[in-house]
Amino acid sequence: MSEKRIRGIAASPGIALGPVYRYEPSLIKVEEEGGQDEATELARLEAALAAARQEIRLLAEEAGRAVGPKEAAIFSAHELFLQDPELLQQVQERIRHQQGAASAWQAAFQHYIQQLQTVQNEYLQARVLDLEDVAQRVLRHLTGQAEESLQLSEPVVIVARELTPSAIVRCPRERVLAFCTAQGGPTSHVAILARALGVPAVVGLGDNLEVLRPGQVVIVDGEQGLVIAEPEAEALVHYQQQAQWLQHQARLAAETRQQPACTRDGRCYPVRANIQAPEEVAAARAFGAEGIGLLRTEFLFLDRQQAPSEEEQREIYRALIEAVHPAPVVFRTFDIGGDKPAPYLSLPREANPFLGVRGIRLGLKHRPLLRTQLRALLRAGAGQELRVLFPMVSSYEEVETLRRLVHEVEEELRQQGQALAERVELGIMIEVPAAALLADALAEVVDFFSLGTNDLTQYVLAADRTNEGTAPLADPFHPALLRLLQLAVEAAHRHQRRVEICGELASEPLALPLLLGLGIDELSMAPRAIPRCKQAIRRWTLQEAQQVAQQALRLRTAAEVRSYLHTCSPDETSSLER
Ligand code: PEP
Ligand code: MG
């Protein structure tokens, strides 16, 4: 048997070695059936929906305990599907036409999913798997079948074409070494949940996944997005050492996570957390975050029928400031629009939502909504320093307009006798290439930059971040992206402005010498990544990092940059290819 290497998308870091477990749950399919009388079938439907709701609530609680509130919200969305009036109406209609409850449910749901698949919205399309999960749950109750759970007698690598969020949450964590799936991208629920559980994962393996057979020993490299079946002795030894080294580092990182992150020559970097809900503050603190470097305020604006009021927002922002004090919170104004719809705005469908009216473009178009958020923020910061960050900036005029707006709001609040923030720092996300190229001018009119490498990567490489097909192209180590980062940092520093980074690149230990060497001042990332990042910072001197950055900037391809960085971090991942 010879070694086989298959490539996918690195979705959750870590290395695992173990036998394959093929997870192929059987799907329930019902034949078209006539029902009993209408009242009986409607009652059966009602009972099945109630039972499914109950299960989903339990799952949400389990997910909340195992992975955290943000991930548990996946299941709240599942519960919402069950209440969709249009869907329920269709099922009831079919039952009224003498269909049995199970086949009526199946048909209506299939129709619903088909409709969703025609919508040109990657985010909604990625949720089809969640819908199927919910549909199956109800069907199980209607047909009286028990839920299939994963019975694992030993630690295994779970290999599946796709994995529903509920299957992942129900997995016995101590027996799961890694996840490998044919489908899924970096933003899929498998990726999100695997990262939250701390389980290595490689997704998007496509049909190559079929070479992985039950019981076969595989290495899963969640750092590189690589799966090696039947590894030869050399790979085995290498990965065993690598896994041991990572474990050792993880232990060290955990022990020192509350300590500052300083380079060997004594330059210390604030490492803060990216969060999307106030409930995540506790986890951020537990992982050693020194404040919140990115609060994605979208959570207050999505999945509801009315915009949040000024008072509702003020209370939430104030509570956050107090919870994190004396460390700062960077409040990013809502980045909605495009693929994150807000029902009360009745936004038109866009052919290219990522190139559409999102972030600050939407805020400036729906001015009262942004004004209300700014009023709430300025009031919440009463007596303190406030940091406000604007997403999706692509022009100087936008920044001028935003600054004017903030001043107007400040003036208005003063006139109304409201207490407000003592000092307001205004920052912009550098996530559109135009902003990086214009950084010199923009740095004159803002207090700080935050490098949003997730969007900057997709825009500079013209590779949709939610599209699995373009995932291999959207590599943040691409030299074109690095050059833009360099432009932005140098421009900011020429004007004595601070540069933060809040894109996912900040949480890649491999990228750290590069980022430090480019001159980043502060880092912010998912809470779980903080201990590892702090530990990586401690391995370098600033001078070494600067040399690495200089050299990396001369390279021509992302692969060259990665392989160069691997060779400079001999302890970590030397000689690993991407
Ligand atoms: C980014 O684009 O890098 C970023 C941090 O913002 P978000 O991921 O919320 O778009
Ligand atoms: Mg962004």
Side-chain angles (χ1 to χ4, degrees), residues 313-357:
Q313 292 188 58
R314 189 199 64 80
E315 278 173 22
I316 292 170
Y317 302 150
R318 181 73 193 176
L320 245 155
I321 291 173
E322 284 172 3
V324 177
H325 186 79
V329 180
V330 178
F331 290 93
R332 185 176 73 184
T333 60
F334 54 79
D335 185 8
I336 51 179
D339 69 324
K340 295 183 202 153
Y344 46 88
L345 293 179
S346 332
L347 301 172
R349 236 182 73 192
E350 295 179 308
N352 293 302
F354 278 119
L355 303 180
V357 184

Coordinates of all heavy atoms in Angstrom, one line a residue, residues 313-357:
Q313 N -29.3 49.6 22.5 CA -27.8 49.5 22.1 C -27.0 50.1 23.2 O -26.0 49.5 23.6 CB -27.6 50.2 20.8 CG -28.2 49.6 19.6 CD -27.8 50.3 18.3 OE1 -26.6 50.4 18.0 NE2 -28.8 50.8 17.5
R314 N -27.4 51.2 23.7 CA -26.5 51.9 24.7 C -26.3 51.0 25.9 O -25.1 50.9 26.3 CB -27.2 53.2 25.1 CG -26.3 54.1 26.0 CD -27.0 55.1 26.8 NE -27.9 54.5 27.8 CZ -27.5 54.0 29.0 NH1 -26.3 54.1 29.4 NH2 -28.4 53.5 29.8
E315 N -27.3 50.4 26.3 CA -27.2 49.5 27.5 C -26.2 48.4 27.2 O -25.4 48.1 28.1 CB -28.6 48.9 27.9 CG -29.4 49.9 28.7 CD -30.8 49.4 28.9 OE1 -31.0 48.1 28.9 OE2 -31.7 50.2 29.2
I316 N -26.3 47.8 26.1 CA -25.5 46.6 25.8 C -24.0 47.1 25.6 O -23.1 46.5 26.2 CB -26.0 45.9 24.5 CG1 -27.3 45.2 24.8 CG2 -24.9 44.9 24.0 CD1 -28.0 44.7 23.6
Y317 N -23.8 48.2 24.9 CA -22.4 48.7 24.7 C -21.8 49.1 26.1 O -20.7 48.8 26.4 CB -22.4 49.9 23.8 CG -23.0 49.6 22.4 CD1 -23.6 50.6 21.6 CD2 -22.9 48.3 21.8 CE1 -24.1 50.4 20.4 CE2 -23.4 48.1 20.6 CZ -24.0 49.1 19.8 OH -24.5 48.9 18.6
R318 N -22.7 49.7 26.9 CA -22.1 50.2 28.2 C -21.7 49.0 29.1 O -20.7 49.0 29.7 CB -23.2 51.0 28.9 CG -22.8 51.6 30.3 CD -21.8 52.7 30.1 NE -21.1 53.1 31.3 CZ -20.2 54.0 31.3 NH1 -19.8 54.7 30.2 NH2 -19.6 54.4 32.4
A319 N -22.6 48.0 29.1 CA -22.3 46.8 29.9 C -20.9 46.2 29.5 O -20.1 45.8 30.3 CB -23.4 45.8 29.8
L320 N -20.7 46.2 28.2 CA -19.5 45.6 27.6 C -18.3 46.4 28.0 O -17.3 45.9 28.5 CB -19.6 45.7 26.1 CG -19.6 44.3 25.5 CD1 -20.3 44.3 24.1 CD2 -18.2 43.8 25.3
I321 N -18.4 47.8 27.9 CA -17.3 48.6 28.3 C -16.9 48.4 29.8 O -15.8 48.2 30.1 CB -17.7 50.1 28.1 CG1 -17.8 50.4 26.6 CG2 -16.7 51.0 28.7 CD1 -18.3 51.8 26.2
E322 N -18.0 48.3 30.6 CA -17.7 48.1 32.0 C -17.1 46.7 32.3 O -16.2 46.6 33.1 CB -19.0 48.3 32.8 CG -19.3 49.8 32.9 CD -20.7 50.1 33.6 OE1 -21.4 49.1 34.0 OE2 -21.0 51.3 33.6
A323 N -17.6 45.7 31.5 CA -17.1 44.3 31.8 C -15.6 44.2 31.4 O -14.9 43.5 32.0 CB -17.9 43.3 31.0
V324 N -15.2 45.0 30.4 CA -13.8 44.9 29.9 C -12.9 45.9 30.5 O -11.7 45.7 30.5 CB -13.9 45.0 28.4 CG1 -12.5 44.9 27.8 CG2 -14.7 43.8 27.8
H325 N -13.4 46.9 31.1 CA -12.6 48.0 31.7 C -11.5 47.5 32.6 O -11.8 46.6 33.3 CB -13.5 49.0 32.4 CG -12.8 50.2 32.9 ND1 -12.6 51.3 32.1 CD2 -12.4 50.5 34.2 CE1 -11.9 52.2 32.8 NE2 -11.8 51.7 34.1
P326 N -10.3 48.0 32.6 CA -9.8 49.2 31.9 C -9.3 48.9 30.5 O -8.8 49.8 29.9 CB -8.6 49.6 32.8 CG -8.1 48.3 33.4 CD -9.3 47.4 33.6
A327 N -9.4 47.6 30.1 CA -8.9 47.3 28.7 C -10.0 47.9 27.7 O -11.1 48.1 28.1 CB -8.8 45.8 28.5
P328 N -9.6 48.2 26.5 CA -10.5 48.8 25.5 C -11.4 47.8 24.8 O -11.2 46.6 24.8 CB -9.6 49.5 24.5 CG -8.4 48.6 24.6 CD -8.2 48.1 26.0
V329 N -12.5 48.4 24.2 CA -13.4 47.6 23.3 C -13.4 48.4 22.0 O -13.6 49.6 22.0 CB -14.8 47.5 23.8 CG1 -15.7 46.7 22.8 CG2 -14.9 47.0 25.2
V330 N -13.1 47.7 20.9 CA -13.2 48.4 19.6 C -14.5 48.0 19.0 O -14.8 46.8 18.7 CB -12.0 47.9 18.7 CG1 -12.2 48.6 17.3 CG2 -10.7 48.3 19.3
F331 N -15.4 49.0 18.9 CA -16.8 48.8 18.4 C -16.8 49.0 16.9 O -16.5 50.1 16.4 CB -17.8 49.8 19.0 CG -18.0 49.5 20.5 CD1 -17.3 50.2 21.4 CD2 -19.0 48.6 20.9 CE1 -17.5 50.0 22.8 CE2 -19.2 48.4 22.3 CZ -18.5 49.1 23.2
R332 N -17.0 47.9 16.2 CA -17.1 48.1 14.7 C -18.6 48.4 14.4 O -19.5 47.6 14.8 CB -16.6 46.9 14.0 CG -16.7 47.2 12.5 CD -16.1 46.0 11.7 NE -17.0 44.9 11.7 CZ -16.7 43.7 11.1 NH1 -15.6 43.5 10.6 NH2 -17.6 42.8 11.1
T333 N -18.9 49.5 13.7 CA -20.3 49.8 13.3 C -20.8 48.6 12.4 O -20.0 47.9 11.8 CB -20.4 51.1 12.6 OG1 -19.6 51.1 11.4 CG2 -19.9 52.3 13.5
F334 N -22.1 48.5 12.4 CA -22.7 47.3 11.8 C -22.1 47.0 10.4 O -22.1 47.9 9.6 CB -24.2 47.3 11.8 CG -24.8 48.5 11.2 CD1 -24.9 48.7 9.8 CD2 -25.2 49.6 12.0 CE1 -25.4 49.9 9.3 CE2 -25.8 50.7 11.5 CZ -25.9 50.9 10.1
D335 N -21.7 45.8 10.1 CA -21.3 45.4 8.8 C -22.4 44.5 8.2 O -22.2 43.3 7.9 CB -20.0 44.7 8.9 CG -19.4 44.3 7.5 OD1 -19.9 44.8 6.5 OD2 -18.4 43.6 7.4
I336 N -23.6 45.1 8.0 CA -24.7 44.3 7.4 C -24.9 44.7 5.9 O -24.2 45.6 5.4 CB -26.0 44.5 8.2 CG1 -26.3 46.0 8.4 CG2 -26.0 43.8 9.5 CD1 -27.7 46.2 9.1
G337 N -25.8 44.0 5.3 CA -26.0 44.2 3.9 C -25.3 43.1 3.2 O -24.7 42.2 3.8
G338 N -25.5 43.0 1.9 CA -24.8 42.0 1.1 C -25.3 40.6 1.5 O -26.5 40.3 1.4
D339 N -24.4 39.8 2.1 CA -24.9 38.5 2.5 C -25.4 38.4 3.9 O -25.8 37.3 4.4 CB -23.7 37.5 2.3 CG -22.6 37.8 3.4 OD1 -22.4 39.0 3.7 OD2 -22.0 36.8 3.8
K340 N -25.4 39.5 4.6 CA -26.0 39.5 6.0 C -27.3 40.4 6.0 O -27.1 41.6 6.2 CB -25.0 40.0 7.0 CG -23.8 39.1 7.1 CD -22.9 39.7 8.2 CE -21.5 39.3 8.1 NZ -20.5 40.3 8.7
P341 N -28.4 39.9 5.6 CA -29.6 40.7 5.4 C -30.2 41.1 6.8 O -30.1 40.4 7.8 CB -30.6 39.8 4.7 CG -30.1 38.4 5.0 CD -28.7 38.4 5.4
A342 N -30.8 42.3 6.8 CA -31.6 42.8 7.9 C -33.0 43.0 7.4 O -33.3 43.9 6.6 CB -31.0 44.1 8.4
P343 N -34.0 42.1 7.8 CA -35.3 42.1 7.2 C -36.0 43.4 7.2 O -36.6 43.8 6.2 CB -36.1 41.1 8.1 CG -35.1 40.3 8.9 CD -33.8 41.1 8.9
Y344 N -35.8 44.2 8.3 CA -36.5 45.5 8.3 C -36.0 46.5 7.3 O -36.6 47.6 7.2 CB -36.5 46.1 9.8 CG -35.1 46.0 10.4 CD1 -34.2 47.1 10.2 CD2 -34.6 44.9 11.1 CE1 -32.9 47.0 10.7 CE2 -33.4 44.8 11.6 CZ -32.5 45.9 11.4 OH -31.2 45.8 11.9
L345 N -34.9 46.3 6.7 CA -34.4 47.3 5.7 C -34.9 47.0 4.3 O -34.7 47.7 3.4 CB -32.9 47.3 5.7 CG -32.3 47.9 7.0 CD1 -30.7 47.8 6.8 CD2 -32.7 49.3 7.2
S346 N -35.6 45.8 4.1 CA -36.0 45.3 2.8 C -35.0 45.6 1.7 O -35.2 46.4 0.8 CB -37.3 46.0 2.3 OG -38.1 46.3 3.4
L347 N -33.8 45.1 1.9 CA -32.7 45.3 1.0 C -32.9 44.6 -0.3 O -33.4 43.5 -0.3 CB -31.4 44.8 1.6 CG -31.0 45.5 2.9 CD1 -29.8 44.8 3.6 CD2 -30.8 47.0 2.7
P348 N -32.7 45.3 -1.4 CA -32.8 44.6 -2.7 C -31.8 43.5 -2.9 O -30.8 43.5 -2.3 CB -32.6 45.7 -3.7 CG -31.8 46.7 -3.0 CD -32.1 46.6 -1.6
R349 N -32.2 42.5 -3.7 CA -31.3 41.4 -3.9 C -30.1 41.9 -4.8 O -30.4 42.7 -5.7 CB -32.0 40.2 -4.6 CG -31.9 38.9 -3.9 CD -32.5 37.8 -4.6 NE -31.8 37.4 -5.8 CZ -32.3 36.7 -6.8 NH1 -33.5 36.2 -6.7 NH2 -31.5 36.3 -7.8
E350 N -28.9 41.5 -4.5 CA -27.8 42.0 -5.3 C -27.1 40.8 -6.0 O -27.0 39.7 -5.4 CB -26.8 42.6 -4.4 CG -27.3 43.9 -3.7 CD -26.2 44.5 -2.8 OE1 -25.7 43.8 -1.9 OE2 -25.9 45.7 -3.0
A351 N -26.7 41.0 -7.2 CA -26.1 39.9 -7.9 C -24.7 39.5 -7.3 O -24.3 38.4 -7.3 CB -25.9 40.3 -9.4
N352 N -24.0 40.5 -6.8 CA -22.7 40.3 -6.2 C -22.7 41.0 -4.8 O -22.1 42.0 -4.6 CB -21.6 40.9 -7.0 CG -21.4 40.2 -8.3 OD1 -21.2 39.0 -8.4 ND2 -21.6 40.9 -9.4
P353 N -23.3 40.3 -3.8 CA -23.4 41.0 -2.5 C -22.1 41.5 -1.9 O -22.1 42.5 -1.3 CB -24.0 39.9 -1.6 CG -24.3 38.7 -2.4 CD -23.8 39.0 -3.8
F354 N -21.0 40.7 -2.1 CA -19.7 41.2 -1.5 C -19.2 42.5 -2.2 O -18.4 43.2 -1.6 CB -18.7 40.1 -1.6 CG -18.9 39.1 -0.5 CD1 -19.1 37.8 -0.7 CD2 -18.8 39.5 0.9 CE1 -19.3 36.9 0.3 CE2 -18.9 38.6 1.9 CZ -19.2 37.3 1.7
L355 N -19.7 42.7 -3.4 CA -19.3 44.0 -4.1 C -20.5 45.0 -4.0 O -20.5 46.0 -4.7 CB -19.0 43.7 -5.5 CG -17.9 42.7 -5.8 CD1 -17.7 42.5 -7.3 CD2 -16.6 43.1 -5.1
G356 N -21.4 44.7 -3.1 CA -22.6 45.5 -3.0 C -22.6 46.5 -1.9 O -21.6 47.0 -1.4
V357 N -23.8 46.8 -1.5 CA -24.0 47.8 -0.4 C -23.9 47.2 0.9 O -24.9 46.7 1.5 CB -25.4 48.5 -0.6 CG1 -25.6 49.6 0.4 CG2 -25.6 49.1 -2.0

